[in-house]
PDB file of all heavy atoms in Angstrom:
ATOM      1  N   GLY A 780    -113.605 119.330  21.543  1.00  0.00           N
ATOM      2  CA  GLY A 780    -112.760 119.839  22.625  1.00  0.00           C
ATOM      3  C   GLY A 780    -111.249 119.781  22.277  1.00  0.00           C
ATOM      4  O   GLY A 780    -110.927 119.516  21.091  1.00  0.00           O
ATOM      5  N   PRO A 781    -110.425 120.041  23.279  1.00  0.00           N
ATOM      6  CA  PRO A 781    -108.999 120.112  23.002  1.00  0.00           C
ATOM      7  C   PRO A 781    -108.345 118.726  22.673  1.00  0.00           C
ATOM      8  O   PRO A 781    -108.755 117.732  23.081  1.00  0.00           O
ATOM      9  CB  PRO A 781    -108.409 120.680  24.351  1.00  0.00           C
ATOM     10  CG  PRO A 781    -109.439 120.162  25.346  1.00  0.00           C
ATOM     11  CD  PRO A 781    -110.767 120.276  24.682  1.00  0.00           C
ATOM     12  N   THR A 782    -107.367 118.833  21.741  1.00  0.00           N
ATOM     13  CA  THR A 782    -106.566 117.633  21.369  1.00  0.00           C
ATOM     14  C   THR A 782    -105.072 117.999  21.473  1.00  0.00           C
ATOM     15  O   THR A 782    -104.717 119.110  21.576  1.00  0.00           O
ATOM     16  CB  THR A 782    -106.963 117.200  19.985  1.00  0.00           C
ATOM     17  OG1 THR A 782    -106.606 118.252  19.010  1.00  0.00           O
ATOM     18  CG2 THR A 782    -108.431 116.915  19.768  1.00  0.00           C
ATOM     19  N   ALA A 783    -104.346 116.866  21.419  1.00  0.00           N
ATOM     20  CA  ALA A 783    -102.862 117.067  21.480  1.00  0.00           C
ATOM     21  C   ALA A 783    -102.294 116.428  20.227  1.00  0.00           C
ATOM     22  O   ALA A 783    -102.718 115.454  19.808  1.00  0.00           O
ATOM     23  CB  ALA A 783    -102.236 116.461  22.696  1.00  0.00           C
ATOM     24  N   PRO A 784    -101.295 117.080  19.641  1.00  0.00           N
ATOM     25  CA  PRO A 784    -100.742 116.529  18.379  1.00  0.00           C
ATOM     26  C   PRO A 784     -99.999 115.283  18.648  1.00  0.00           C
ATOM     27  O   PRO A 784     -99.428 114.974  19.770  1.00  0.00           O
ATOM     28  CB  PRO A 784     -99.779 117.629  17.957  1.00  0.00           C
ATOM     29  CG  PRO A 784     -99.342 118.362  19.161  1.00  0.00           C
ATOM     30  CD  PRO A 784    -100.626 118.283  20.111  1.00  0.00           C
ATOM     31  N   GLY A 785     -99.854 114.425  17.677  1.00  0.00           N
ATOM     32  CA  GLY A 785     -99.138 113.159  17.750  1.00  0.00           C
ATOM     33  C   GLY A 785     -98.160 112.995  16.554  1.00  0.00           C
ATOM     34  O   GLY A 785     -98.305 113.599  15.516  1.00  0.00           O
ATOM     35  N   SER A 786     -97.058 112.201  16.858  1.00  0.00           N
ATOM     36  CA  SER A 786     -96.010 112.065  15.878  1.00  0.00           C
ATOM     37  C   SER A 786     -95.947 110.684  15.284  1.00  0.00           C
ATOM     38  O   SER A 786     -95.136 110.460  14.400  1.00  0.00           O
ATOM     39  CB  SER A 786     -94.670 112.461  16.414  1.00  0.00           C
ATOM     40  OG  SER A 786     -94.371 111.619  17.592  1.00  0.00           O
ATOM     41  N   GLY A 787     -96.657 109.720  15.880  1.00  0.00           N
ATOM     42  CA  GLY A 787     -96.585 108.325  15.503  1.00  0.00           C
ATOM     43  C   GLY A 787     -95.521 107.601  16.123  1.00  0.00           C
ATOM     44  O   GLY A 787     -95.363 106.342  15.891  1.00  0.00           O
ATOM     45  N   ALA A 788     -94.734 108.200  17.032  1.00  0.00           N
ATOM     46  CA  ALA A 788     -93.566 107.582  17.633  1.00  0.00           C
ATOM     47  C   ALA A 788     -94.086 106.512  18.706  1.00  0.00           C
ATOM     48  O   ALA A 788     -93.400 105.526  18.941  1.00  0.00           O
ATOM     49  CB  ALA A 788     -92.652 108.565  18.375  1.00  0.00           C
ATOM     50  N   GLY A 789     -95.283 106.788  19.254  1.00  0.00           N
ATOM     51  CA  GLY A 789     -95.772 105.726  20.191  1.00  0.00           C
ATOM     52  C   GLY A 789     -96.043 104.444  19.578  1.00  0.00           C
ATOM     53  O   GLY A 789     -95.664 103.376  20.204  1.00  0.00           O
ATOM     54  N   LEU A 790     -96.669 104.349  18.469  1.00  0.00           N
ATOM     55  CA  LEU A 790     -96.904 103.047  17.814  1.00  0.00           C
ATOM     56  C   LEU A 790     -95.642 102.381  17.415  1.00  0.00           C
ATOM     57  O   LEU A 790     -95.497 101.198  17.532  1.00  0.00           O
ATOM     58  CB  LEU A 790     -97.842 103.236  16.558  1.00  0.00           C
ATOM     59  CG  LEU A 790     -99.259 103.647  16.788  1.00  0.00           C
ATOM     60  CD1 LEU A 790     -99.998 103.917  15.475  1.00  0.00           C
ATOM     61  CD2 LEU A 790     -99.984 102.589  17.600  1.00  0.00           C
ATOM     62  N   VAL A 791     -94.652 103.226  16.888  1.00  0.00           N
ATOM     63  CA  VAL A 791     -93.388 102.670  16.564  1.00  0.00           C
ATOM     64  C   VAL A 791     -92.656 102.074  17.797  1.00  0.00           C
ATOM     65  O   VAL A 791     -92.115 100.921  17.786  1.00  0.00           O
ATOM     66  CB  VAL A 791     -92.483 103.720  15.887  1.00  0.00           C
ATOM     67  CG1 VAL A 791     -91.101 103.190  15.667  1.00  0.00           C
ATOM     68  CG2 VAL A 791     -93.055 104.189  14.590  1.00  0.00           C
ATOM     69  N   GLY A 792     -92.747 102.715  18.922  1.00  0.00           N
ATOM     70  CA  GLY A 792     -92.106 102.240  20.164  1.00  0.00           C
ATOM     71  C   GLY A 792     -92.746 100.962  20.656  1.00  0.00           C
ATOM     72  O   GLY A 792     -92.079 100.110  21.043  1.00  0.00           O
TER      73      GLY A 792
END
Side-chain angles (χ1 to χ4, degrees):
T782 61
S786 61
L790 290 177
V791 174

